Structures are given as C-alpha cells and as structure tokens.
Amino acid sequence: MLESGVLVLNRVYQPVHVTSVRRAICLLYQGVAKAIDEQFQLFDFESWSDLAAAANHDVIHIPRVIVLLAYEHLPKARVRFSRFNIYARDDSTCQYCGRRLPRSELNLDHVLPRSRGGSTTWENVVCSCVACNLRKGGRSPDEAGMRLMRAPSRPRWTPVFRSATRRAFYREWMPFLSMAEAAYWNAELLE
Ligand SMILES: [Zn+2]
C-alpha cells in the first residue's frame, strides 16, 4: 500500500509531481501540505486522522491527492533532461534490440559517441541495454550495423504524469490531471 503514489498539487491546484505515500504523510504531518478528498475539502494532519477515527479505522487513511501550502511553482513546460525522463520516454526499452528491461539493466547510450562530438541531448541519448551498449562501443549505429527503433527526440508530454498514470491511476487524480495538461499546453504556446 505504501508503494502507491500520491498526486502533489501546488498552491493553485496544479499537479507538480507524484510522490510516495510515506512522503505525502510526512508533508501532511509537518503541516506543509493538506490532504484533499473527493469533495475537494482540505484536511490538515489532525483532521485527516480524525476521519480515520470517525470511520473506526485504526490506521490513517491514505490520501490520493495533497496540496502544498506554499509551493507556487508551475509545472515545468520543458521536460527535464534527466536519466529518469529518458527511461520514461523510451519506456525502459533498449532502443537497439527492443527489449524492455528493469532500469538496473539499462544504461544511456550516446547515439553519436561523445568522443566523436556527439552531444548529451534528447536527440542524441537513448536507453540501451548493456549488451547493445558494449556491442556498439565507440561507433555510430551505422558503423556498428545497428538500427535505432526510432529517432530520439525531446518528449512533448510530462513524463512524470505518463509514468504515474501507467503505474497506478486513481480516479481522484482526474480533475487535476486535466488541469495539468491545460497548463502544459498553455505554457508551450506562450514561448
Ligand atoms: Zn539492447
């Protein structure tokens, strides 16, 4: 149960990320965040605990959505270039052999090797299994006789929501996720 995700909203109810239940309870306990129920009512730690008591449960009810009280940052319009997000973009799939593997068995490959002037960008870095990485070595895919499953590019979605919705999707997230999409697309248009 503690593995499931909790959607975190900023002060203006825009989703900023998905966190663990443990962390969400912690933020609630510290008074940094409030839990929000399906009727959009806010609860601090004490009143949230009272709900469990009222329902005769001896354990605290797990919030699905929390609201940060002081966090005003908007979700990033640009997807952060990070290992996590590259794996999310490539769906944890080796872009050479197409095998989907646990993250521990994957690494990042520079399509055009760095030693040859290849850049560390969305367009030149892909998810690769260790075997393909070794086979390719310091060569370009052409030289190594290997083919990319698809040309790498900067993702247009917000990976945290994509992977979160794939992992576990809660209907309580729905109203906020559609707002996230709106915020995301609006931000793109302003550029
Ligand atoms: Zn591979």
Side-chain angles (χ1 to χ4, degrees):
M1 200 55 154
L2 288 176
E3 297 305 313
S4 55
V6 176
L7 185 66
V8 181
L9 308 178
N10 67 12
R11 211 165 62 91
V12 289
Y13 290 70
Q14 289 173 310
V16 282
H17 62 120
V18 175
T19 193
S20 66
V21 171
R22 192 178 299 275
R23 174 93 183 123
I25 302 265
C26 198
L27 292 170
L28 207 56
Y29 182 74
Q30 290 168 347
V32 178
K34 287 191 173 182
I36 184 166
D37 73 359
E38 285 181 79
Q39 281 76 48
F40 305 106
Q41 299 179 95
L42 292 174
F43 299 86
D44 59 15
F45 182 80
E46 203 179 335
S47 57
W48 188 257
S49 308
D50 288 347
L51 283 186
N56 242 334
H57 294 141
D58 47 3
V59 288
I60 189 164
H61 181 61
I62 290 172
R64 292 282 179 236
V65 184
I66 61 169
V67 185
L68 294 170
L69 302 178
Y71 191 87
E72 292 180 58
H73 294 233
L74 300 178
K76 282 200 172 67
R78 286 267 174 237
V79 179
R80 196 209 309 218
F81 182 64
S82 67
R83 176 176 292 265
F84 179 88
N85 285 343
I86 294 163
Y87 284 17
R89 179 198 65 185
D90 293 346
D91 199 19
S92 298
T93 301
C94 172
Q95 293 300 292
Y96 295 104
C97 68
R99 282 190 299 160
R100 192 162 195 272
L101 294 163
R103 287 181 181 213
S104 59
E105 292 173 41
L106 292 164
N107 53 27
L108 298 181
D109 176 69
H110 283 75
V111 177
L112 179 65
R114 262 190 298 192
S115 59
R116 311 265 298 274
S119 57
T120 305
T121 56
W122 283 112
E123 293 78 14
N124 193 50
V125 175
V126 296
C127 206
S128 159
C129 72
V130 176
C132 286
N133 206 243
L134 286 172
R135 195 179 135 207
K136 181 167 170 282
R139 300 176 291 179
S140 72
D142 270 357
E143 290 164 349
M146 296 164 83
R147 265 185 52 191
L148 282 169
M149 296 180 68
R150 60 177 178 208
S153 61
R154 174 185 294 276
R156 301 188 65 201
W157 32 262
T158 314
V160 65
F161 298 123
R162 197 174 97 133
S163 54
T165 49
R166 179 168 300 181
R167 187 177 63 216
F169 188 86
Y170 300 107
R171 92 194 120 79
E172 292 93 333
W173 293 6
M174 278 291 283
F176 305 108
L177 288 180
S178 48
M179 276 175 68
E181 279 171 20
Y184 176 68
W185 290 111
N186 287 339
E188 282 290 288
L189 288 173
L190 289 172
E191 280 183 7

PDB file of all heavy atoms in Angstrom, residues 27-62:
ATOM      1  N   LEU A  27       4.681  15.121   4.761  1.00  0.00           N
ATOM      2  CA  LEU A  27       4.390  16.526   4.431  1.00  0.00           C
ATOM      3  C   LEU A  27       3.126  16.992   5.157  1.00  0.00           C
ATOM      4  O   LEU A  27       3.041  18.117   5.635  1.00  0.00           O
ATOM      5  CB  LEU A  27       4.207  16.691   2.915  1.00  0.00           C
ATOM      6  CG  LEU A  27       5.460  16.496   2.067  1.00  0.00           C
ATOM      7  CD1 LEU A  27       5.103  16.430   0.580  1.00  0.00           C
ATOM      8  CD2 LEU A  27       6.461  17.624   2.307  1.00  0.00           C
ATOM      9  N   LEU A  28       2.177  16.079   5.245  1.00  0.00           N
ATOM     10  CA  LEU A  28       0.924  16.365   5.928  1.00  0.00           C
ATOM     11  C   LEU A  28       1.199  16.592   7.424  1.00  0.00           C
ATOM     12  O   LEU A  28       0.734  17.563   8.015  1.00  0.00           O
ATOM     13  CB  LEU A  28       0.011  15.146   5.744  1.00  0.00           C
ATOM     14  CG  LEU A  28      -1.492  15.323   5.768  1.00  0.00           C
ATOM     15  CD1 LEU A  28      -1.933  16.340   4.743  1.00  0.00           C
ATOM     16  CD2 LEU A  28      -2.164  13.975   5.477  1.00  0.00           C
ATOM     17  N   TYR A  29       1.981  15.703   7.979  1.00  0.00           N
ATOM     18  CA  TYR A  29       2.308  15.754   9.404  1.00  0.00           C
ATOM     19  C   TYR A  29       3.084  17.031   9.738  1.00  0.00           C
ATOM     20  O   TYR A  29       2.867  17.649  10.778  1.00  0.00           O
ATOM     21  CB  TYR A  29       3.113  14.510   9.789  1.00  0.00           C
ATOM     22  CG  TYR A  29       3.446  14.448  11.257  1.00  0.00           C
ATOM     23  CD1 TYR A  29       2.466  14.122  12.200  1.00  0.00           C
ATOM     24  CD2 TYR A  29       4.735  14.714  11.704  1.00  0.00           C
ATOM     25  CE1 TYR A  29       2.754  14.076  13.548  1.00  0.00           C
ATOM     26  CE2 TYR A  29       5.041  14.675  13.059  1.00  0.00           C
ATOM     27  CZ  TYR A  29       4.039  14.355  13.980  1.00  0.00           C
ATOM     28  OH  TYR A  29       4.333  14.318  15.311  1.00  0.00           O
ATOM     29  N   GLN A  30       3.965  17.429   8.836  1.00  0.00           N
ATOM     30  CA  GLN A  30       4.776  18.634   9.061  1.00  0.00           C
ATOM     31  C   GLN A  30       3.974  19.923   8.856  1.00  0.00           C
ATOM     32  O   GLN A  30       4.481  21.007   9.089  1.00  0.00           O
ATOM     33  CB  GLN A  30       5.967  18.655   8.094  1.00  0.00           C
ATOM     34  CG  GLN A  30       7.016  17.606   8.401  1.00  0.00           C
ATOM     35  CD  GLN A  30       8.030  17.459   7.276  1.00  0.00           C
ATOM     36  OE1 GLN A  30       7.823  17.966   6.170  1.00  0.00           O
ATOM     37  NE2 GLN A  30       9.121  16.763   7.551  1.00  0.00           N
ATOM     38  N   GLY A  31       2.755  19.774   8.359  1.00  0.00           N
ATOM     39  CA  GLY A  31       1.937  20.957   8.145  1.00  0.00           C
ATOM     40  C   GLY A  31       2.291  21.714   6.871  1.00  0.00           C
ATOM     41  O   GLY A  31       1.893  22.853   6.672  1.00  0.00           O
ATOM     42  N   VAL A  32       3.063  21.080   5.998  1.00  0.00           N
ATOM     43  CA  VAL A  32       3.486  21.706   4.753  1.00  0.00           C
ATOM     44  C   VAL A  32       2.417  21.519   3.670  1.00  0.00           C
ATOM     45  O   VAL A  32       2.323  22.289   2.721  1.00  0.00           O
ATOM     46  CB  VAL A  32       4.830  21.081   4.289  1.00  0.00           C
ATOM     47  CG1 VAL A  32       5.288  21.655   2.970  1.00  0.00           C
ATOM     48  CG2 VAL A  32       5.896  21.280   5.361  1.00  0.00           C
ATOM     49  N   ALA A  33       1.635  20.462   3.854  1.00  0.00           N
ATOM     50  CA  ALA A  33       0.616  20.136   2.858  1.00  0.00           C
ATOM     51  C   ALA A  33      -0.695  19.779   3.541  1.00  0.00           C
ATOM     52  O   ALA A  33      -0.715  19.469   4.729  1.00  0.00           O
ATOM     53  CB  ALA A  33       1.086  18.969   2.000  1.00  0.00           C
ATOM     54  N   LYS A  34      -1.760  19.838   2.758  1.00  0.00           N
ATOM     55  CA  LYS A  34      -3.050  19.350   3.238  1.00  0.00           C
ATOM     56  C   LYS A  34      -3.552  18.268   2.302  1.00  0.00           C
ATOM     57  O   LYS A  34      -3.264  18.303   1.103  1.00  0.00           O
ATOM     58  CB  LYS A  34      -4.062  20.502   3.304  1.00  0.00           C
ATOM     59  CG  LYS A  34      -3.770  21.456   4.460  1.00  0.00           C
ATOM     60  CD  LYS A  34      -4.898  22.437   4.689  1.00  0.00           C
ATOM     61  CE  LYS A  34      -4.630  23.240   5.971  1.00  0.00           C
ATOM     62  NZ  LYS A  34      -5.711  24.175   6.271  1.00  0.00           N
ATOM     63  N   ALA A  35      -4.304  17.349   2.873  1.00  0.00           N
ATOM     64  CA  ALA A  35      -4.912  16.306   2.047  1.00  0.00           C
ATOM     65  C   ALA A  35      -6.204  16.866   1.467  1.00  0.00           C
ATOM     66  O   ALA A  35      -6.837  17.740   2.056  1.00  0.00           O
ATOM     67  CB  ALA A  35      -5.197  15.079   2.895  1.00  0.00           C
ATOM     68  N   ILE A  36      -6.557  16.364   0.296  1.00  0.00           N
ATOM     69  CA  ILE A  36      -7.800  16.832  -0.330  1.00  0.00           C
ATOM     70  C   ILE A  36      -8.654  15.598  -0.630  1.00  0.00           C
ATOM     71  O   ILE A  36      -8.148  14.593  -1.115  1.00  0.00           O
ATOM     72  CB  ILE A  36      -7.489  17.671  -1.589  1.00  0.00           C
ATOM     73  CG1 ILE A  36      -8.769  18.236  -2.194  1.00  0.00           C
ATOM     74  CG2 ILE A  36      -6.717  16.897  -2.634  1.00  0.00           C
ATOM     75  CD1 ILE A  36      -8.505  19.327  -3.218  1.00  0.00           C
ATOM     76  N   ASP A  37      -9.904  15.656  -0.286  1.00  0.00           N
ATOM     77  CA  ASP A  37     -10.765  14.498  -0.544  1.00  0.00           C
ATOM     78  C   ASP A  37     -11.544  14.706  -1.843  1.00  0.00           C
ATOM     79  O   ASP A  37     -11.337  15.690  -2.563  1.00  0.00           O
ATOM     80  CB  ASP A  37     -11.688  14.218   0.648  1.00  0.00           C
ATOM     81  CG  ASP A  37     -12.814  15.241   0.780  1.00  0.00           C
ATOM     82  OD1 ASP A  37     -12.875  16.193  -0.041  1.00  0.00           O
ATOM     83  OD2 ASP A  37     -13.626  15.111   1.704  1.00  0.00           O
ATOM     84  N   GLU A  38     -12.432  13.757  -2.125  1.00  0.00           N
ATOM     85  CA  GLU A  38     -13.127  13.798  -3.413  1.00  0.00           C
ATOM     86  C   GLU A  38     -14.114  14.946  -3.524  1.00  0.00           C
ATOM     87  O   GLU A  38     -14.549  15.291  -4.616  1.00  0.00           O
ATOM     88  CB  GLU A  38     -13.841  12.471  -3.662  1.00  0.00           C
ATOM     89  CG  GLU A  38     -12.864  11.373  -4.048  1.00  0.00           C
ATOM     90  CD  GLU A  38     -13.577  10.063  -4.315  1.00  0.00           C
ATOM     91  OE1 GLU A  38     -14.134   9.928  -5.412  1.00  0.00           O
ATOM     92  OE2 GLU A  38     -13.594   9.210  -3.416  1.00  0.00           O
ATOM     93  N   GLN A  39     -14.463  15.516  -2.376  1.00  0.00           N
ATOM     94  CA  GLN A  39     -15.354  16.687  -2.416  1.00  0.00           C
ATOM     95  C   GLN A  39     -14.523  17.987  -2.415  1.00  0.00           C
ATOM     96  O   GLN A  39     -15.057  19.063  -2.160  1.00  0.00           O
ATOM     97  CB  GLN A  39     -16.297  16.689  -1.213  1.00  0.00           C
ATOM     98  CG  GLN A  39     -17.472  15.736  -1.366  1.00  0.00           C
ATOM     99  CD  GLN A  39     -17.069  14.281  -1.146  1.00  0.00           C
ATOM    100  OE1 GLN A  39     -16.393  13.958  -0.180  1.00  0.00           O
ATOM    101  NE2 GLN A  39     -17.453  13.403  -2.062  1.00  0.00           N
ATOM    102  N   PHE A  40     -13.237  17.847  -2.635  1.00  0.00           N
ATOM    103  CA  PHE A  40     -12.305  18.978  -2.670  1.00  0.00           C
ATOM    104  C   PHE A  40     -12.219  19.705  -1.332  1.00  0.00           C
ATOM    105  O   PHE A  40     -11.952  20.896  -1.277  1.00  0.00           O
ATOM    106  CB  PHE A  40     -12.656  19.972  -3.793  1.00  0.00           C
ATOM    107  CG  PHE A  40     -12.725  19.318  -5.145  1.00  0.00           C
ATOM    108  CD1 PHE A  40     -13.929  19.084  -5.760  1.00  0.00           C
ATOM    109  CD2 PHE A  40     -11.561  18.916  -5.791  1.00  0.00           C
ATOM    110  CE1 PHE A  40     -13.996  18.462  -7.001  1.00  0.00           C
ATOM    111  CE2 PHE A  40     -11.617  18.296  -7.026  1.00  0.00           C
ATOM    112  CZ  PHE A  40     -12.832  18.059  -7.634  1.00  0.00           C
ATOM    113  N   GLN A  41     -12.472  18.969  -0.273  1.00  0.00           N
ATOM    114  CA  GLN A  41     -12.284  19.563   1.053  1.00  0.00           C
ATOM    115  C   GLN A  41     -10.847  19.335   1.492  1.00  0.00           C
ATOM    116  O   GLN A  41     -10.275  18.284   1.218  1.00  0.00           O
ATOM    117  CB  GLN A  41     -13.205  18.896   2.072  1.00  0.00           C
ATOM    118  CG  GLN A  41     -14.675  19.042   1.767  1.00  0.00           C
ATOM    119  CD  GLN A  41     -15.498  18.324   2.829  1.00  0.00           C
ATOM    120  OE1 GLN A  41     -15.945  18.925   3.792  1.00  0.00           O
ATOM    121  NE2 GLN A  41     -15.666  17.030   2.644  1.00  0.00           N
ATOM    122  N   LEU A  42     -10.301  20.326   2.178  1.00  0.00           N
ATOM    123  CA  LEU A  42      -8.915  20.225   2.643  1.00  0.00           C
ATOM    124  C   LEU A  42      -8.860  19.775   4.102  1.00  0.00           C
ATOM    125  O   LEU A  42      -9.697  20.171   4.913  1.00  0.00           O
ATOM    126  CB  LEU A  42      -8.225  21.584   2.501  1.00  0.00           C
ATOM    127  CG  LEU A  42      -7.985  22.075   1.073  1.00  0.00           C
ATOM    128  CD1 LEU A  42      -7.440  23.496   1.092  1.00  0.00           C
ATOM    129  CD2 LEU A  42      -7.021  21.155   0.339  1.00  0.00           C
ATOM    130  N   PHE A  43      -7.863  18.975   4.397  1.00  0.00           N
ATOM    131  CA  PHE A  43      -7.678  18.481   5.754  1.00  0.00           C
ATOM    132  C   PHE A  43      -6.218  18.595   6.163  1.00  0.00           C
ATOM    133  O   PHE A  43      -5.331  18.228   5.387  1.00  0.00           O
ATOM    134  CB  PHE A  43      -8.057  16.992   5.837  1.00  0.00           C
ATOM    135  CG  PHE A  43      -9.485  16.705   5.484  1.00  0.00           C
ATOM    136  CD1 PHE A  43      -9.849  16.501   4.150  1.00  0.00           C
ATOM    137  CD2 PHE A  43     -10.455  16.651   6.468  1.00  0.00           C
ATOM    138  CE1 PHE A  43     -11.172  16.233   3.814  1.00  0.00           C
ATOM    139  CE2 PHE A  43     -11.777  16.386   6.136  1.00  0.00           C
ATOM    140  CZ  PHE A  43     -12.141  16.179   4.817  1.00  0.00           C
ATOM    141  N   ASP A  44      -5.982  19.089   7.386  1.00  0.00           N
ATOM    142  CA  ASP A  44      -4.617  19.014   7.896  1.00  0.00           C
ATOM    143  C   ASP A  44      -4.436  17.623   8.523  1.00  0.00           C
ATOM    144  O   ASP A  44      -5.356  16.802   8.511  1.00  0.00           O
ATOM    145  CB  ASP A  44      -4.332  20.153   8.893  1.00  0.00           C
ATOM    146  CG  ASP A  44      -5.269  20.133  10.090  1.00  0.00           C
ATOM    147  OD1 ASP A  44      -5.949  19.093  10.312  1.00  0.00           O
ATOM    148  OD2 ASP A  44      -5.329  21.144  10.793  1.00  0.00           O
ATOM    149  N   PHE A  45      -3.256  17.378   9.058  1.00  0.00           N
ATOM    150  CA  PHE A  45      -2.955  16.030   9.549  1.00  0.00           C
ATOM    151  C   PHE A  45      -3.967  15.586  10.599  1.00  0.00           C
ATOM    152  O   PHE A  45      -4.472  14.473  10.568  1.00  0.00           O
ATOM    153  CB  PHE A  45      -1.536  15.976  10.123  1.00  0.00           C
ATOM    154  CG  PHE A  45      -1.145  14.604  10.590  1.00  0.00           C
ATOM    155  CD1 PHE A  45      -0.717  13.644   9.684  1.00  0.00           C
ATOM    156  CD2 PHE A  45      -1.219  14.263  11.936  1.00  0.00           C
ATOM    157  CE1 PHE A  45      -0.369  12.366  10.104  1.00  0.00           C
ATOM    158  CE2 PHE A  45      -0.881  12.983  12.365  1.00  0.00           C
ATOM    159  CZ  PHE A  45      -0.456  12.037  11.447  1.00  0.00           C
ATOM    160  N   GLU A  46      -4.267  16.527  11.501  1.00  0.00           N
ATOM    161  CA  GLU A  46      -5.146  16.182  12.619  1.00  0.00           C
ATOM    162  C   GLU A  46      -6.556  15.838  12.144  1.00  0.00           C
ATOM    163  O   GLU A  46      -7.118  14.810  12.517  1.00  0.00           O
ATOM    164  CB  GLU A  46      -5.184  17.361  13.594  1.00  0.00           C
ATOM    165  CG  GLU A  46      -5.568  16.945  14.997  1.00  0.00           C
ATOM    166  CD  GLU A  46      -5.582  18.135  15.949  1.00  0.00           C
ATOM    167  OE1 GLU A  46      -4.861  19.121  15.662  1.00  0.00           O
ATOM    168  OE2 GLU A  46      -6.311  18.079  16.936  1.00  0.00           O
ATOM    169  N   SER A  47      -7.103  16.694  11.278  1.00  0.00           N
ATOM    170  CA  SER A  47      -8.477  16.438  10.837  1.00  0.00           C
ATOM    171  C   SER A  47      -8.541  15.223   9.910  1.00  0.00           C
ATOM    172  O   SER A  47      -9.534  14.507   9.881  1.00  0.00           O
ATOM    173  CB  SER A  47      -9.076  17.686  10.165  1.00  0.00           C
ATOM    174  OG  SER A  47      -8.292  18.112   9.081  1.00  0.00           O
ATOM    175  N   TRP A  48      -7.451  14.991   9.201  1.00  0.00           N
ATOM    176  CA  TRP A  48      -7.401  13.794   8.347  1.00  0.00           C
ATOM    177  C   TRP A  48      -7.384  12.531   9.214  1.00  0.00           C
ATOM    178  O   TRP A  48      -8.053  11.550   8.922  1.00  0.00           O
ATOM    179  CB  TRP A  48      -6.174  13.860   7.441  1.00  0.00           C
ATOM    180  CG  TRP A  48      -6.137  12.780   6.404  1.00  0.00           C
ATOM    181  CD1 TRP A  48      -5.383  11.647   6.419  1.00  0.00           C
ATOM    182  CD2 TRP A  48      -6.898  12.725   5.190  1.00  0.00           C
ATOM    183  NE1 TRP A  48      -5.623  10.884   5.302  1.00  0.00           N
ATOM    184  CE2 TRP A  48      -6.547  11.527   4.526  1.00  0.00           C
ATOM    185  CE3 TRP A  48      -7.836  13.569   4.590  1.00  0.00           C
ATOM    186  CZ2 TRP A  48      -7.103  11.158   3.306  1.00  0.00           C
ATOM    187  CZ3 TRP A  48      -8.388  13.194   3.369  1.00  0.00           C
ATOM    188  CH2 TRP A  48      -8.027  12.008   2.744  1.00  0.00           C
ATOM    189  N   SER A  49      -6.609  12.574  10.295  1.00  0.00           N
ATOM    190  CA  SER A  49      -6.557  11.439  11.228  1.00  0.00           C
ATOM    191  C   SER A  49      -7.915  11.217  11.880  1.00  0.00           C
ATOM    192  O   SER A  49      -8.322  10.073  12.103  1.00  0.00           O
ATOM    193  CB  SER A  49      -5.507  11.680  12.324  1.00  0.00           C
ATOM    194  OG  SER A  49      -4.270  12.021  11.749  1.00  0.00           O
ATOM    195  N   ASP A  50      -8.601  12.321  12.174  1.00  0.00           N
ATOM    196  CA  ASP A  50      -9.931  12.221  12.781  1.00  0.00           C
ATOM    197  C   ASP A  50     -10.906  11.484  11.867  1.00  0.00           C
ATOM    198  O   ASP A  50     -11.790  10.783  12.343  1.00  0.00           O
ATOM    199  CB  ASP A  50     -10.493  13.616  13.096  1.00  0.00           C
ATOM    200  CG  ASP A  50      -9.765  14.255  14.277  1.00  0.00           C
ATOM    201  OD1 ASP A  50      -9.023  13.524  14.972  1.00  0.00           O
ATOM    202  OD2 ASP A  50      -9.925  15.470  14.482  1.00  0.00           O
ATOM    203  N   LEU A  51     -10.732  11.659  10.559  1.00  0.00           N
ATOM    204  CA  LEU A  51     -11.591  10.961   9.598  1.00  0.00           C
ATOM    205  C   LEU A  51     -11.470   9.452   9.796  1.00  0.00           C
ATOM    206  O   LEU A  51     -12.461   8.735   9.786  1.00  0.00           O
ATOM    207  CB  LEU A  51     -11.170  11.282   8.157  1.00  0.00           C
ATOM    208  CG  LEU A  51     -11.562  12.621   7.545  1.00  0.00           C
ATOM    209  CD1 LEU A  51     -11.153  12.614   6.076  1.00  0.00           C
ATOM    210  CD2 LEU A  51     -13.065  12.853   7.663  1.00  0.00           C
ATOM    211  N   ALA A  52     -10.216   8.996   9.957  1.00  0.00           N
ATOM    212  CA  ALA A  52      -9.971   7.568  10.153  1.00  0.00           C
ATOM    213  C   ALA A  52     -10.622   7.107  11.454  1.00  0.00           C
ATOM    214  O   ALA A  52     -11.258   6.056  11.498  1.00  0.00           O
ATOM    215  CB  ALA A  52      -8.471   7.297  10.178  1.00  0.00           C
ATOM    216  N   ALA A  53     -10.473   7.925  12.478  1.00  0.00           N
ATOM    217  CA  ALA A  53     -11.054   7.581  13.777  1.00  0.00           C
ATOM    218  C   ALA A  53     -12.575   7.504  13.678  1.00  0.00           C
ATOM    219  O   ALA A  53     -13.200   6.567  14.183  1.00  0.00           O
ATOM    220  CB  ALA A  53     -10.632   8.619  14.813  1.00  0.00           C
ATOM    221  N   ALA A  54     -13.140   8.487  12.959  1.00  0.00           N
ATOM    222  CA  ALA A  54     -14.595   8.529  12.804  1.00  0.00           C
ATOM    223  C   ALA A  54     -15.091   7.297  12.055  1.00  0.00           C
ATOM    224  O   ALA A  54     -16.184   6.791  12.298  1.00  0.00           O
ATOM    225  CB  ALA A  54     -15.008   9.800  12.075  1.00  0.00           C
ATOM    226  N   ALA A  55     -14.279   6.828  11.108  1.00  0.00           N
ATOM    227  CA  ALA A  55     -14.679   5.664  10.311  1.00  0.00           C
ATOM    228  C   ALA A  55     -14.307   4.358  11.020  1.00  0.00           C
ATOM    229  O   ALA A  55     -14.450   3.282  10.467  1.00  0.00           O
ATOM    230  CB  ALA A  55     -14.017   5.728   8.942  1.00  0.00           C
ATOM    231  N   ASN A  56     -13.803   4.501  12.245  1.00  0.00           N
ATOM    232  CA  ASN A  56     -13.449   3.341  13.055  1.00  0.00           C
ATOM    233  C   ASN A  56     -12.272   2.534  12.498  1.00  0.00           C
ATOM    234  O   ASN A  56     -12.194   1.335  12.680  1.00  0.00           O
ATOM    235  CB  ASN A  56     -14.661   2.421  13.233  1.00  0.00           C
ATOM    236  CG  ASN A  56     -15.049   2.313  14.700  1.00  0.00           C
ATOM    237  OD1 ASN A  56     -14.182   2.508  15.576  1.00  0.00           O
ATOM    238  ND2 ASN A  56     -16.295   2.034  14.968  1.00  0.00           N
ATOM    239  N   HIS A  57     -11.405   3.215  11.808  1.00  0.00           N
ATOM    240  CA  HIS A  57     -10.203   2.547  11.321  1.00  0.00           C
ATOM    241  C   HIS A  57      -9.066   2.872  12.274  1.00  0.00           C
ATOM    242  O   HIS A  57      -8.999   3.981  12.785  1.00  0.00           O
ATOM    243  CB  HIS A  57      -9.833   3.041   9.915  1.00  0.00           C
ATOM    244  CG  HIS A  57     -10.843   2.661   8.880  1.00  0.00           C
ATOM    245  ND1 HIS A  57     -11.222   3.498   7.859  1.00  0.00           N
ATOM    246  CD2 HIS A  57     -11.562   1.526   8.728  1.00  0.00           C
ATOM    247  CE1 HIS A  57     -12.136   2.896   7.123  1.00  0.00           C
ATOM    248  NE2 HIS A  57     -12.363   1.699   7.615  1.00  0.00           N
ATOM    249  N   ASP A  58      -8.213   1.915  12.508  1.00  0.00           N
ATOM    250  CA  ASP A  58      -7.101   2.223  13.405  1.00  0.00           C
ATOM    251  C   ASP A  58      -5.861   2.698  12.649  1.00  0.00           C
ATOM    252  O   ASP A  58      -4.884   3.096  13.247  1.00  0.00           O
ATOM    253  CB  ASP A  58      -6.762   1.036  14.331  1.00  0.00           C
ATOM    254  CG  ASP A  58      -6.665  -0.270  13.568  1.00  0.00           C
ATOM    255  OD1 ASP A  58      -6.812  -0.226  12.328  1.00  0.00           O
ATOM    256  OD2 ASP A  58      -6.451  -1.315  14.200  1.00  0.00           O
ATOM    257  N   VAL A  59      -5.911   2.661  11.322  1.00  0.00           N
ATOM    258  CA  VAL A  59      -4.767   3.196  10.565  1.00  0.00           C
ATOM    259  C   VAL A  59      -5.218   4.433   9.793  1.00  0.00           C
ATOM    260  O   VAL A  59      -6.388   4.563   9.434  1.00  0.00           O
ATOM    261  CB  VAL A  59      -4.187   2.175   9.549  1.00  0.00           C
ATOM    262  CG1 VAL A  59      -3.441   1.080  10.282  1.00  0.00           C
ATOM    263  CG2 VAL A  59      -5.264   1.601   8.658  1.00  0.00           C
ATOM    264  N   ILE A  60      -4.269   5.319   9.538  1.00  0.00           N
ATOM    265  CA  ILE A  60      -4.596   6.542   8.810  1.00  0.00           C
ATOM    266  C   ILE A  60      -4.947   6.193   7.366  1.00  0.00           C
ATOM    267  O   ILE A  60      -4.312   5.361   6.727  1.00  0.00           O
ATOM    268  CB  ILE A  60      -3.455   7.580   8.896  1.00  0.00           C
ATOM    269  CG1 ILE A  60      -3.902   8.918   8.310  1.00  0.00           C
ATOM    270  CG2 ILE A  60      -2.181   7.076   8.243  1.00  0.00           C
ATOM    271  CD1 ILE A  60      -2.996  10.085   8.698  1.00  0.00           C
ATOM    272  N   HIS A  61      -5.993   6.817   6.899  1.00  0.00           N
ATOM    273  CA  HIS A  61      -6.464   6.656   5.533  1.00  0.00           C
ATOM    274  C   HIS A  61      -5.427   7.276   4.595  1.00  0.00           C
ATOM    275  O   HIS A  61      -4.886   8.334   4.897  1.00  0.00           O
ATOM    276  CB  HIS A  61      -7.813   7.375   5.429  1.00  0.00           C
ATOM    277  CG  HIS A  61      -8.448   7.297   4.095  1.00  0.00           C
ATOM    278  ND1 HIS A  61      -8.797   6.111   3.517  1.00  0.00           N
ATOM    279  CD2 HIS A  61      -8.794   8.273   3.230  1.00  0.00           C
ATOM    280  CE1 HIS A  61      -9.349   6.368   2.335  1.00  0.00           C
ATOM    281  NE2 HIS A  61      -9.351   7.663   2.135  1.00  0.00           N
ATOM    282  N   ILE A  62      -5.143   6.626   3.487  1.00  0.00           N
ATOM    283  CA  ILE A  62      -4.102   7.144   2.589  1.00  0.00           C
ATOM    284  C   ILE A  62      -4.679   8.207   1.658  1.00  0.00           C
ATOM    285  O   ILE A  62      -5.643   7.942   0.937  1.00  0.00           O
ATOM    286  CB  ILE A  62      -3.479   5.992   1.777  1.00  0.00           C
ATOM    287  CG1 ILE A  62      -2.641   5.112   2.714  1.00  0.00           C
ATOM    288  CG2 ILE A  62      -2.612   6.532   0.646  1.00  0.00           C
ATOM    289  CD1 ILE A  62      -2.137   3.852   2.081  1.00  0.00           C
TER     290      ILE A  62
END
